[in-house]
Amino acid sequence: MASSSSNQRSLAAKEKQPSARATLTSSSSSSSSSWNHSTSMQSKSVNGPPLQTSNRPKVPAKRSVTPNPRDHFNVDNDLIVRAKSPKRSYSNHSSKPHDQEPGRVRVSVRLRPRHVEDADYADCVELQPEMKKLKLRKNNWSSESFKFDEVFSETASQKRVYQVVAKPVVETVLSGFNGTVMAYGQTGTGKTYTVGNLGKNDASERGIMVRALEDIMANISTNDAVEVTYLQLYMESIHDLLSPNKVNIPIVEDSKTGEVSFPGAELVKVRDLDHFMELLQKAELNRHAANTKMNTNSSRSHAILMIYVRKPAIGVADVHFSSHELSKSVAGPGFAGVYTVRKSKLLIVDLAGSERIDKSGSEGQLLEEAKFINLSLTSLGKCINALAENSLHIPTRESKLTRILRDSFGGSARTSLIITIGPSERYHTETTSTIMFGQRAMKIVNMVKLKEEFDYESLSKKLEIQVDNLTREIDRQQKLRDNYINQMEKKLKECQLSFAEAEKSLVSRSEILEKENSCLEKEIKSILSELSDQKNFNKLLSDEVSRLEFSLEQCKLHQLESTRYQNKLLDTTQPYELRITELEKQLEDECAHRQRAKQDAESLKMLLSDQNSVQRKGEDDISKVREQLEENDQKKQTEINELQTKLAAILQSSEMTKNELESLRENYNTLSLEKEKVFGELDAVKQRLSIEAKHRAMLENELRMLKVLPESMADVEDKKLHMQQRLSRGSSSFRTTMGLHRSISGQRVTIAEFCEEVGLEKIVSLLSSEDVELQMQAAKVVANLAAEDADQEKIVNEGGLDSLLMLLQSSESIPILRAASGAIANLAMNETNQGLIMSKGGAEVLKITATRTDDLPTLRMIAGAFANLCGNVKLHRVLQREGCIKALLGMAESGNTEIIAQVARGFANFVKSETRQVNQGHGKGPSLLIKADALIWLINNTNISSDSTRRHIELALCHLAQNGYVNDVNIRQS
């Protein structure tokens, strides 16, 4: 199964003007040669990752005219001699670890989720992802176990599937090796979703094709090239998906290299990921698909995406030669290791799914397509069986699909296969066939080879650029040399002029020196007279030395030296002249030295006095520090004693708390038993309350209808009084209310009928009325409608949420605030409405309303709205940042049991949603509830009298402790 190559008859034209296609095809290595294991001396072979190449062979100095690929193979049609590989059972696991079988075909299995039509069938597959095993149930009492390289459950993400199945192959392709990623399985099991999904609406749903090219584009440089060809094999005819006019494209095999090419197929150079996405969208529209009983969008062709990567082994910009090195490298053997290019190919194959005609219901054209699909898959299965059984004959020429995939199975490419299966027992036979196909494919071992050749085109361009640079350098050096000669001639003329002037100055200088010599002779005579005086003075000095009782030997030496010195003075005047000057200099230096010594002595005296004062101060400071250290040691000792006593007390209190915890656990067990009984009673009470609330709402609706209906004012007032009396009587007894309702049910309409007659838009518009009574009645109607899920979306779409928030901000009427708060609390039960409430500033409006009213029912409604918002984990940080949790704690200070119950319910919802997030692996850091100081309130109210409130508080504390947010340190601090 070979990569594409150029047509042999067009080689001469491609040598003169190499195209992108010729560059790619000439670099692709022959895969059919890896079937018979005959490779040339220039091919580089590895057995898989880690991909380590051997040393490059030496290339003769004589260069070939045509670019020769690094790999050469001999193909003898279908007769292929392969090395024997150990046989393994289909169901037994592989005994070799991955590092001992680096070239083996990697096979992974992915289970699709259950469909609705599979509800009547049991599961026949059991996954064990941690052991990389799969159990296939034969019947009710026996099953067979299979082991794969990776097992993906129905919840596995597209990213994980790509990283395990395709990413190692992509990295291999980037290193210069061919690679193949293929999906195989029954129709409708998710092959196209796994391989070719574009993820238009959600990037996390992207398939292997998009993610593979994204990785390739992220790991190439500007000197690299990436080109793609996208084909489909439809009814044994090759079509170009990028150019739908090109059909029945032939497969051409190179007789020398065994490489496969597709003359006329569109080869597109990819600029970036967006360009590639456009190509895939265009190809998706051109691919054949149909609706069958087993799959609404069944692929009717095999899709083959070929990605060609061209990477220089050493970048052109990284190599620079001098003229000597260039001439040496062209003739020498080391030249081959510099300009080489690695050309690799990645095949991503989305096979059409196998199907049974009796199950798919294919007829007519669909039946013909199914025949060709099953025929090509059968041929592929025969090749896989022959390779797994080490057969001498591999029937690769029975189908075009097997000819295209020759390099992928038993060839030189690194191959990764993912098989997709369904869980339903309805398709037990198809699932078994797919699993056995994967087991046989795992036995195939490929010989992965590096695809590298000389980049003569880049080398020639490099040499031309180097020659141009050298010519420019020679011209520049010639100009510099001419400029240097001109400058030297100018300097020579200047030197000649300066030499003539120097000669004149020397003549005048010699005359001056003669005059100076005569003066010096006179000076010498005067010096001689001075020296005679000095001689007499030396005698006096010798007498003085003798009088000072120096030793006789020193005196004699001194006399000898003085006599020698006098003789020397008499012999010549020049040494004396020099000696006199030296003595004068020494005398001056001695005077200067004495002055500096005096200055240094005075500065030293000053420094000494300063040092003594500093030393006295330091001694005083040291004594003070010692006293302070002694006092600190005494204080620390006393503190240590106090801490020891406190530690003993803490240990005692910890033992007491342990005993208390044991007693609390016993109480909790008894309370849990009582809880079950109370829940039953609560359900009955809730049903009765819901019926009574519905009836109350019905009566209130009738009262509002009386106000809206076109009747006389007298009749309206009479009916309002009559309905208010009925409301007061209805709240006393549920049975009396039901009796009244039955007596007048034929004369009045429900809220739903009232809304249909009047219209929800008109009711919402009444919220902005100037009549306070109309606003109150409209708010109550909206609040009752908001209790139903079906009406919530209508209320929001008609602008009811905005009108309710405006009422809370503008109205001072307590009944209106109460009804509006209740309506928002009902709307907040829906997750979509929760986000709208927060985005429109509803939390801030509710918090402000809670601060400016003392009405307990209104506060209870606001607390209920906050409690519903606390159940959405996405809003937690916003609620904590805007102070909504602190607002709940402030409302709880009212002491009203119903408000406290709503606060406890809100905290329980808050912590439960955090627990769900932690279980999903997204929770990090301490709970926001603890940061808002709600833990102290929960602990202080654990013994509250209300059973339901206490259960909410206990539930919140249990979730906090379960997530590790609450420990002994938090409890003690609280």
Side-chain angles (χ1 to χ4, degrees), residues 555-573:
C555 292
K556 290 180 179 180
L557 290 173
H558 184 69
Q559 287 177 356
L560 290 173
E561 289 178 359
S562 61
T563 54
R564 289 175 183 172
Y565 184 72
Q566 290 173 0
N567 292 329
K568 289 180 180 179
L569 289 175
L570 294 172
D571 292 337
T572 178
T573 60

mmCIF file with all atom_site columns, all heavy atoms in Angstrom, residues 555-573:
data_model
loop_
_atom_site.group_PDB
_atom_site.id
_atom_site.type_symbol
_atom_site.label_atom_id
_atom_site.label_alt_id
_atom_site.label_comp_id
_atom_site.label_asym_id
_atom_site.label_entity_id
_atom_site.label_seq_id
_atom_site.pdbx_PDB_ins_code
_atom_site.Cartn_x
_atom_site.Cartn_y
_atom_site.Cartn_z
_atom_site.occupancy
_atom_site.B_iso_or_equiv
_atom_site.pdbx_formal_charge
_atom_site.auth_seq_id
_atom_site.auth_comp_id
_atom_site.auth_asym_id
_atom_site.auth_atom_id
_atom_site.pdbx_PDB_model_num
ATOM 1   N N   . CYS A 1 555 ? 83.359 52.822 59.112 1.00 0.00 ? 555 CYS A N   1
ATOM 2   C CA  . CYS A 1 555 ? 84.117 54.035 58.766 1.00 0.00 ? 555 CYS A CA  1
ATOM 3   C C   . CYS A 1 555 ? 85.034 53.797 57.579 1.00 0.00 ? 555 CYS A C   1
ATOM 4   O O   . CYS A 1 555 ? 85.136 54.632 56.688 1.00 0.00 ? 555 CYS A O   1
ATOM 5   C CB  . CYS A 1 555 ? 84.959 54.494 59.970 1.00 0.00 ? 555 CYS A CB  1
ATOM 6   S SG  . CYS A 1 555 ? 83.963 55.107 61.341 1.00 0.00 ? 555 CYS A SG  1
ATOM 7   N N   . LYS A 1 556 ? 85.712 52.617 57.627 1.00 0.00 ? 556 LYS A N   1
ATOM 8   C CA  . LYS A 1 556 ? 86.613 52.326 56.515 1.00 0.00 ? 556 LYS A CA  1
ATOM 9   C C   . LYS A 1 556 ? 85.843 52.206 55.215 1.00 0.00 ? 556 LYS A C   1
ATOM 10  O O   . LYS A 1 556 ? 86.294 52.685 54.173 1.00 0.00 ? 556 LYS A O   1
ATOM 11  C CB  . LYS A 1 556 ? 87.376 51.027 56.798 1.00 0.00 ? 556 LYS A CB  1
ATOM 12  C CG  . LYS A 1 556 ? 88.404 51.169 57.912 1.00 0.00 ? 556 LYS A CG  1
ATOM 13  C CD  . LYS A 1 556 ? 89.123 49.845 58.147 1.00 0.00 ? 556 LYS A CD  1
ATOM 14  C CE  . LYS A 1 556 ? 90.186 49.968 59.250 1.00 0.00 ? 556 LYS A CE  1
ATOM 15  N NZ  . LYS A 1 556 ? 90.897 48.700 59.497 1.00 0.00 ? 556 LYS A NZ  1
ATOM 16  N N   . LEU A 1 557 ? 84.721 51.507 55.275 1.00 0.00 ? 557 LEU A N   1
ATOM 17  C CA  . LEU A 1 557 ? 83.905 51.358 54.056 1.00 0.00 ? 557 LEU A CA  1
ATOM 18  C C   . LEU A 1 557 ? 83.437 52.710 53.550 1.00 0.00 ? 557 LEU A C   1
ATOM 19  O O   . LEU A 1 557 ? 83.427 52.970 52.334 1.00 0.00 ? 557 LEU A O   1
ATOM 20  C CB  . LEU A 1 557 ? 82.687 50.460 54.337 1.00 0.00 ? 557 LEU A CB  1
ATOM 21  C CG  . LEU A 1 557 ? 83.002 48.980 54.580 1.00 0.00 ? 557 LEU A CG  1
ATOM 22  C CD1 . LEU A 1 557 ? 81.723 48.254 55.023 1.00 0.00 ? 557 LEU A CD1 1
ATOM 23  C CD2 . LEU A 1 557 ? 83.569 48.326 53.329 1.00 0.00 ? 557 LEU A CD2 1
ATOM 24  N N   . HIS A 1 558 ? 83.044 53.531 54.502 1.00 0.00 ? 558 HIS A N   1
ATOM 25  C CA  . HIS A 1 558 ? 82.575 54.849 54.116 1.00 0.00 ? 558 HIS A CA  1
ATOM 26  C C   . HIS A 1 558 ? 83.694 55.672 53.487 1.00 0.00 ? 558 HIS A C   1
ATOM 27  O O   . HIS A 1 558 ? 83.478 56.390 52.505 1.00 0.00 ? 558 HIS A O   1
ATOM 28  C CB  . HIS A 1 558 ? 82.004 55.572 55.335 1.00 0.00 ? 558 HIS A CB  1
ATOM 29  C CG  . HIS A 1 558 ? 81.426 56.893 54.987 1.00 0.00 ? 558 HIS A CG  1
ATOM 30  N ND1 . HIS A 1 558 ? 80.268 57.037 54.244 1.00 0.00 ? 558 HIS A ND1 1
ATOM 31  C CD2 . HIS A 1 558 ? 81.855 58.174 55.257 1.00 0.00 ? 558 HIS A CD2 1
ATOM 32  C CE1 . HIS A 1 558 ? 80.002 58.303 54.101 1.00 0.00 ? 558 HIS A CE1 1
ATOM 33  N NE2 . HIS A 1 558 ? 80.973 59.030 54.706 1.00 0.00 ? 558 HIS A NE2 1
ATOM 34  N N   . GLN A 1 559 ? 84.890 55.539 54.054 1.00 0.00 ? 559 GLN A N   1
ATOM 35  C CA  . GLN A 1 559 ? 86.021 56.277 53.504 1.00 0.00 ? 559 GLN A CA  1
ATOM 36  C C   . GLN A 1 559 ? 86.360 55.771 52.103 1.00 0.00 ? 559 GLN A C   1
ATOM 37  O O   . GLN A 1 559 ? 86.668 56.543 51.196 1.00 0.00 ? 559 GLN A O   1
ATOM 38  C CB  . GLN A 1 559 ? 87.234 56.134 54.432 1.00 0.00 ? 559 GLN A CB  1
ATOM 39  C CG  . GLN A 1 559 ? 87.099 56.942 55.714 1.00 0.00 ? 559 GLN A CG  1
ATOM 40  C CD  . GLN A 1 559 ? 88.276 56.736 56.654 1.00 0.00 ? 559 GLN A CD  1
ATOM 41  O OE1 . GLN A 1 559 ? 89.168 55.920 56.369 1.00 0.00 ? 559 GLN A OE1 1
ATOM 42  N NE2 . GLN A 1 559 ? 88.279 57.468 57.771 1.00 0.00 ? 559 GLN A NE2 1
ATOM 43  N N   . LEU A 1 560 ? 86.318 54.394 51.958 1.00 0.00 ? 560 LEU A N   1
ATOM 44  C CA  . LEU A 1 560 ? 86.601 53.835 50.627 1.00 0.00 ? 560 LEU A CA  1
ATOM 45  C C   . LEU A 1 560 ? 85.570 54.310 49.603 1.00 0.00 ? 560 LEU A C   1
ATOM 46  O O   . LEU A 1 560 ? 85.913 54.677 48.472 1.00 0.00 ? 560 LEU A O   1
ATOM 47  C CB  . LEU A 1 560 ? 86.603 52.309 50.693 1.00 0.00 ? 560 LEU A CB  1
ATOM 48  C CG  . LEU A 1 560 ? 87.772 51.672 51.454 1.00 0.00 ? 560 LEU A CG  1
ATOM 49  C CD1 . LEU A 1 560 ? 87.543 50.176 51.592 1.00 0.00 ? 560 LEU A CD1 1
ATOM 50  C CD2 . LEU A 1 560 ? 89.097 51.945 50.735 1.00 0.00 ? 560 LEU A CD2 1
ATOM 51  N N   . GLU A 1 561 ? 84.335 54.297 50.025 1.00 0.00 ? 561 GLU A N   1
ATOM 52  C CA  . GLU A 1 561 ? 83.282 54.728 49.100 1.00 0.00 ? 561 GLU A CA  1
ATOM 53  C C   . GLU A 1 561 ? 83.441 56.205 48.762 1.00 0.00 ? 561 GLU A C   1
ATOM 54  O O   . GLU A 1 561 ? 83.235 56.615 47.625 1.00 0.00 ? 561 GLU A O   1
ATOM 55  C CB  . GLU A 1 561 ? 81.901 54.475 49.712 1.00 0.00 ? 561 GLU A CB  1
ATOM 56  C CG  . GLU A 1 561 ? 81.549 53.003 49.784 1.00 0.00 ? 561 GLU A CG  1
ATOM 57  C CD  . GLU A 1 561 ? 80.198 52.789 50.452 1.00 0.00 ? 561 GLU A CD  1
ATOM 58  O OE1 . GLU A 1 561 ? 79.582 53.787 50.867 1.00 0.00 ? 561 GLU A OE1 1
ATOM 59  O OE2 . GLU A 1 561 ? 79.756 51.612 50.526 1.00 0.00 ? 561 GLU A OE2 1
ATOM 60  N N   . SER A 1 562 ? 83.783 56.985 49.781 1.00 0.00 ? 562 SER A N   1
ATOM 61  C CA  . SER A 1 562 ? 83.923 58.423 49.543 1.00 0.00 ? 562 SER A CA  1
ATOM 62  C C   . SER A 1 562 ? 85.103 58.698 48.624 1.00 0.00 ? 562 SER A C   1
ATOM 63  O O   . SER A 1 562 ? 85.040 59.561 47.744 1.00 0.00 ? 562 SER A O   1
ATOM 64  C CB  . SER A 1 562 ? 84.106 59.175 50.868 1.00 0.00 ? 562 SER A CB  1
ATOM 65  O OG  . SER A 1 562 ? 85.284 58.717 51.531 1.00 0.00 ? 562 SER A OG  1
ATOM 66  N N   . THR A 1 563 ? 86.216 57.940 48.818 1.00 0.00 ? 563 THR A N   1
ATOM 67  C CA  . THR A 1 563 ? 87.377 58.148 47.948 1.00 0.00 ? 563 THR A CA  1
ATOM 68  C C   . THR A 1 563 ? 87.053 57.739 46.519 1.00 0.00 ? 563 THR A C   1
ATOM 69  O O   . THR A 1 563 ? 87.434 58.423 45.564 1.00 0.00 ? 563 THR A O   1
ATOM 70  C CB  . THR A 1 563 ? 88.571 57.347 48.473 1.00 0.00 ? 563 THR A CB  1
ATOM 71  O OG1 . THR A 1 563 ? 88.172 55.968 48.631 1.00 0.00 ? 563 THR A OG1 1
ATOM 72  C CG2 . THR A 1 563 ? 89.052 57.884 49.814 1.00 0.00 ? 563 THR A CG2 1
ATOM 73  N N   . ARG A 1 564 ? 86.345 56.576 46.408 1.00 0.00 ? 564 ARG A N   1
ATOM 74  C CA  . ARG A 1 564 ? 85.952 56.132 45.067 1.00 0.00 ? 564 ARG A CA  1
ATOM 75  C C   . ARG A 1 564 ? 85.013 57.160 44.418 1.00 0.00 ? 564 ARG A C   1
ATOM 76  O O   . ARG A 1 564 ? 85.114 57.470 43.219 1.00 0.00 ? 564 ARG A O   1
ATOM 77  C CB  . ARG A 1 564 ? 85.248 54.794 45.131 1.00 0.00 ? 564 ARG A CB  1
ATOM 78  C CG  . ARG A 1 564 ? 86.196 53.651 45.470 1.00 0.00 ? 564 ARG A CG  1
ATOM 79  C CD  . ARG A 1 564 ? 85.400 52.374 45.637 1.00 0.00 ? 564 ARG A CD  1
ATOM 80  N NE  . ARG A 1 564 ? 86.260 51.272 46.042 1.00 0.00 ? 564 ARG A NE  1
ATOM 81  C CZ  . ARG A 1 564 ? 85.808 50.079 46.403 1.00 0.00 ? 564 ARG A CZ  1
ATOM 82  N NH1 . ARG A 1 564 ? 84.504 49.866 46.390 1.00 0.00 ? 564 ARG A NH1 1
ATOM 83  N NH2 . ARG A 1 564 ? 86.660 49.136 46.754 1.00 0.00 ? 564 ARG A NH2 1
ATOM 84  N N   . TYR A 1 565 ? 84.149 57.661 45.203 1.00 0.00 ? 565 TYR A N   1
ATOM 85  C CA  . TYR A 1 565 ? 83.185 58.630 44.685 1.00 0.00 ? 565 TYR A CA  1
ATOM 86  C C   . TYR A 1 565 ? 83.901 59.898 44.234 1.00 0.00 ? 565 TYR A C   1
ATOM 87  O O   . TYR A 1 565 ? 83.569 60.491 43.205 1.00 0.00 ? 565 TYR A O   1
ATOM 88  C CB  . TYR A 1 565 ? 82.168 58.937 45.788 1.00 0.00 ? 565 TYR A CB  1
ATOM 89  C CG  . TYR A 1 565 ? 81.072 59.858 45.341 1.00 0.00 ? 565 TYR A CG  1
ATOM 90  C CD1 . TYR A 1 565 ? 80.091 59.426 44.467 1.00 0.00 ? 565 TYR A CD1 1
ATOM 91  C CD2 . TYR A 1 565 ? 81.045 61.175 45.788 1.00 0.00 ? 565 TYR A CD2 1
ATOM 92  C CE1 . TYR A 1 565 ? 79.099 60.266 44.058 1.00 0.00 ? 565 TYR A CE1 1
ATOM 93  C CE2 . TYR A 1 565 ? 80.053 62.011 45.378 1.00 0.00 ? 565 TYR A CE2 1
ATOM 94  C CZ  . TYR A 1 565 ? 79.074 61.573 44.521 1.00 0.00 ? 565 TYR A CZ  1
ATOM 95  O OH  . TYR A 1 565 ? 78.072 62.409 44.119 1.00 0.00 ? 565 TYR A OH  1
ATOM 96  N N   . GLN A 1 566 ? 84.923 60.326 45.042 1.00 0.00 ? 566 GLN A N   1
ATOM 97  C CA  . GLN A 1 566 ? 85.675 61.521 44.680 1.00 0.00 ? 566 GLN A CA  1
ATOM 98  C C   . GLN A 1 566 ? 86.465 61.293 43.393 1.00 0.00 ? 566 GLN A C   1
ATOM 99  O O   . GLN A 1 566 ? 86.553 62.185 42.537 1.00 0.00 ? 566 GLN A O   1
ATOM 100 C CB  . GLN A 1 566 ? 86.614 61.887 45.827 1.00 0.00 ? 566 GLN A CB  1
ATOM 101 C CG  . GLN A 1 566 ? 85.891 62.411 47.053 1.00 0.00 ? 566 GLN A CG  1
ATOM 102 C CD  . GLN A 1 566 ? 86.834 62.612 48.226 1.00 0.00 ? 566 GLN A CD  1
ATOM 103 O OE1 . GLN A 1 566 ? 88.048 62.358 48.123 1.00 0.00 ? 566 GLN A OE1 1
ATOM 104 N NE2 . GLN A 1 566 ? 86.275 63.089 49.345 1.00 0.00 ? 566 GLN A NE2 1
ATOM 105 N N   . ASN A 1 567 ? 87.037 60.066 43.264 1.00 0.00 ? 567 ASN A N   1
ATOM 106 C CA  . ASN A 1 567 ? 87.795 59.773 42.041 1.00 0.00 ? 567 ASN A CA  1
ATOM 107 C C   . ASN A 1 567 ? 86.889 59.810 40.814 1.00 0.00 ? 567 ASN A C   1
ATOM 108 O O   . ASN A 1 567 ? 87.281 60.306 39.747 1.00 0.00 ? 567 ASN A O   1
ATOM 109 C CB  . ASN A 1 567 ? 88.462 58.404 42.147 1.00 0.00 ? 567 ASN A CB  1
ATOM 110 C CG  . ASN A 1 567 ? 89.572 58.412 43.211 1.00 0.00 ? 567 ASN A CG  1
ATOM 111 O OD1 . ASN A 1 567 ? 90.225 59.454 43.450 1.00 0.00 ? 567 ASN A OD1 1
ATOM 112 N ND2 . ASN A 1 567 ? 89.791 57.280 43.854 1.00 0.00 ? 567 ASN A ND2 1
ATOM 113 N N   . LYS A 1 568 ? 85.712 59.257 40.995 1.00 0.00 ? 568 LYS A N   1
ATOM 114 C CA  . LYS A 1 568 ? 84.766 59.267 39.878 1.00 0.00 ? 568 LYS A CA  1
ATOM 115 C C   . LYS A 1 568 ? 84.353 60.686 39.526 1.00 0.00 ? 568 LYS A C   1
ATOM 116 O O   . LYS A 1 568 ? 84.180 61.028 38.356 1.00 0.00 ? 568 LYS A O   1
ATOM 117 C CB  . LYS A 1 568 ? 83.527 58.452 40.217 1.00 0.00 ? 568 LYS A CB  1
ATOM 118 C CG  . LYS A 1 568 ? 83.797 56.966 40.266 1.00 0.00 ? 568 LYS A CG  1
ATOM 119 C CD  . LYS A 1 568 ? 82.513 56.195 40.615 1.00 0.00 ? 568 LYS A CD  1
ATOM 120 C CE  . LYS A 1 568 ? 82.786 54.700 40.673 1.00 0.00 ? 568 LYS A CE  1
ATOM 121 N NZ  . LYS A 1 568 ? 81.576 53.931 41.025 1.00 0.00 ? 568 LYS A NZ  1
ATOM 122 N N   . LEU A 1 569 ? 84.189 61.527 40.547 1.00 0.00 ? 569 LEU A N   1
ATOM 123 C CA  . LEU A 1 569 ? 83.818 62.911 40.277 1.00 0.00 ? 569 LEU A CA  1
ATOM 124 C C   . LEU A 1 569 ? 84.938 63.641 39.532 1.00 0.00 ? 569 LEU A C   1
ATOM 125 O O   . LEU A 1 569 ? 84.678 64.509 38.696 1.00 0.00 ? 569 LEU A O   1
ATOM 126 C CB  . LEU A 1 569 ? 83.503 63.631 41.588 1.00 0.00 ? 569 LEU A CB  1
ATOM 127 C CG  . LEU A 1 569 ? 82.194 63.213 42.292 1.00 0.00 ? 569 LEU A CG  1
ATOM 128 C CD1 . LEU A 1 569 ? 82.081 63.905 43.630 1.00 0.00 ? 569 LEU A CD1 1
ATOM 129 C CD2 . LEU A 1 569 ? 81.016 63.551 41.422 1.00 0.00 ? 569 LEU A CD2 1
ATOM 130 N N   . LEU A 1 570 ? 86.160 63.301 39.882 1.00 0.00 ? 570 LEU A N   1
ATOM 131 C CA  . LEU A 1 570 ? 87.274 63.939 39.213 1.00 0.00 ? 570 LEU A CA  1
ATOM 132 C C   . LEU A 1 570 ? 87.406 63.462 37.772 1.00 0.00 ? 570 LEU A C   1
ATOM 133 O O   . LEU A 1 570 ? 87.868 64.213 36.915 1.00 0.00 ? 570 LEU A O   1
ATOM 134 C CB  . LEU A 1 570 ? 88.582 63.658 39.986 1.00 0.00 ? 570 LEU A CB  1
ATOM 135 C CG  . LEU A 1 570 ? 88.675 64.290 41.384 1.00 0.00 ? 570 LEU A CG  1
ATOM 136 C CD1 . LEU A 1 570 ? 89.917 63.796 42.126 1.00 0.00 ? 570 LEU A CD1 1
ATOM 137 C CD2 . LEU A 1 570 ? 88.696 65.812 41.283 1.00 0.00 ? 570 LEU A CD2 1
ATOM 138 N N   . ASP A 1 571 ? 87.062 62.181 37.523 1.00 0.00 ? 571 ASP A N   1
ATOM 139 C CA  . ASP A 1 571 ? 87.221 61.624 36.174 1.00 0.00 ? 571 ASP A CA  1
ATOM 140 C C   . ASP A 1 571 ? 86.245 62.252 35.172 1.00 0.00 ? 571 ASP A C   1
ATOM 141 O O   . ASP A 1 571 ? 86.623 62.564 34.061 1.00 0.00 ? 571 ASP A O   1
ATOM 142 C CB  . ASP A 1 571 ? 87.033 60.111 36.187 1.00 0.00 ? 571 ASP A CB  1
ATOM 143 C CG  . ASP A 1 571 ? 88.176 59.418 36.941 1.00 0.00 ? 571 ASP A CG  1
ATOM 144 O OD1 . ASP A 1 571 ? 89.256 60.020 37.045 1.00 0.00 ? 571 ASP A OD1 1
ATOM 145 O OD2 . ASP A 1 571 ? 87.942 58.275 37.429 1.00 0.00 ? 571 ASP A OD2 1
ATOM 146 N N   . THR A 1 572 ? 85.061 62.414 35.579 1.00 0.00 ? 572 THR A N   1
ATOM 147 C CA  . THR A 1 572 ? 84.057 62.898 34.608 1.00 0.00 ? 572 THR A CA  1
ATOM 148 C C   . THR A 1 572 ? 83.052 63.800 35.304 1.00 0.00 ? 572 THR A C   1
ATOM 149 O O   . THR A 1 572 ? 82.804 63.661 36.502 1.00 0.00 ? 572 THR A O   1
ATOM 150 C CB  . THR A 1 572 ? 83.318 61.728 33.950 1.00 0.00 ? 572 THR A CB  1
ATOM 151 O OG1 . THR A 1 572 ? 82.352 62.263 33.069 1.00 0.00 ? 572 THR A OG1 1
ATOM 152 C CG2 . THR A 1 572 ? 82.645 60.834 34.973 1.00 0.00 ? 572 THR A CG2 1
ATOM 153 N N   . THR A 1 573 ? 82.529 64.727 34.580 1.00 0.00 ? 573 THR A N   1
ATOM 154 C CA  . THR A 1 573 ? 81.531 65.650 35.150 1.00 0.00 ? 573 THR A CA  1
ATOM 155 C C   . THR A 1 573 ? 80.090 65.225 34.851 1.00 0.00 ? 573 THR A C   1
ATOM 156 O O   . THR A 1 573 ? 79.147 65.605 35.549 1.00 0.00 ? 573 THR A O   1
ATOM 157 C CB  . THR A 1 573 ? 81.757 67.043 34.552 1.00 0.00 ? 573 THR A CB  1
ATOM 158 O OG1 . THR A 1 573 ? 81.607 66.965 33.146 1.00 0.00 ? 573 THR A OG1 1
ATOM 159 C CG2 . THR A 1 573 ? 83.102 67.596 34.916 1.00 0.00 ? 573 THR A CG2 1
#
